[in-house]
Amino acid sequence: MKRENILTGSPWEDKMGYCRAVRIGNIIEVSGTVAIVDGEKVKADDAYAQTYNILERVEKVLEDLNVGMKDVIRTRIFTTDITSFEEVARAHASFFKDVKPTTGFYEINKLVAPEYLVEIEFTAVVQ
């Protein structure tokens, strides 16, 4: 099967040796994705806005592969503050209320930078 790497131009892709997503056949894995914290729309203390931003960005990556959020079968959500569950869940549900992928919600010590509260990984299968 053919492998398709999806690059977004992030400097981390070359620095770390990874890509945003990989598609092999009908399976798509999306790397852990954090928000673009701009200090205005997405703030360092807003778990809802960060989660929503991540979901919007990944939706675009999937669209570039001619796939949709409806094809996501699993999300893995990492947070530095488990008490943000309600805000993260509300943003997640705005994209997946009807799709209902399997998911996990995990508290970890740190993400790659202190302004990030949430990181999400995705698995999609095209039917």
Side-chain angles (χ1 to χ4, degrees):
M1 283 188 231
K2 181 182 128 190
R3 176 188 177 114
E4 184 177 359
N5 287 354
I6 306 305
L7 299 166
T8 60
S10 165
W12 287 99
E13 290 170 342
D14 282 336
K15 186 175 188 174
M16 191 171 179
Y18 86 104
C19 61
R20 176 61 44 216
V22 174
R23 180 178 187 163
I24 298 177
N26 67 336
I27 299 171
I28 299 160
E29 290 286 347
V30 180
S31 293
T33 303
V34 295
I36 296 174
V37 177
D38 62 9
E40 294 175 21
K41 181 180 176 189
V42 181
K43 295 179 172 61
D45 63 351
D46 188 340
Y48 174 85
Q50 288 193 23
T51 304
Y52 200 90
N53 179 268
I54 293 164
L55 294 162
E56 286 179 318
R57 292 177 54 227
V58 169
E59 182 176 49
K60 173 71 173 114
V61 168
L62 294 175
E63 286 173 358
D64 290 347
L65 290 166
N66 297 315
V67 178
M69 295 297 252
K70 68 179 178 22
D71 299 302
V72 173
I73 64 164
R74 181 170 180 80
T75 59
R76 291 173 190 86
I77 304 167
F78 302 92
T79 183
T80 57
D81 180 6
I82 202 77
T83 66
S84 68
F85 175 79
E86 292 296 329
E87 299 118 80
V88 172
R90 186 166 48 95
H92 190 272
S94 66
F95 286 79
F96 293 120
K97 187 175 180 104
D98 296 327
V99 177
K100 294 190 174 30
T102 63
T103 195
F105 191 73
Y106 312 98
E107 183 178 53
I108 59 174
N109 279 345
K110 295 178 184 177
L111 289 167
V112 71
E115 65 268 21
Y116 301 126
L117 303 175
V118 179
E119 182 170 327
I120 307 175
E121 298 175 349
F122 301 79
T123 302
V125 176
V126 183
Q127 299 182 35

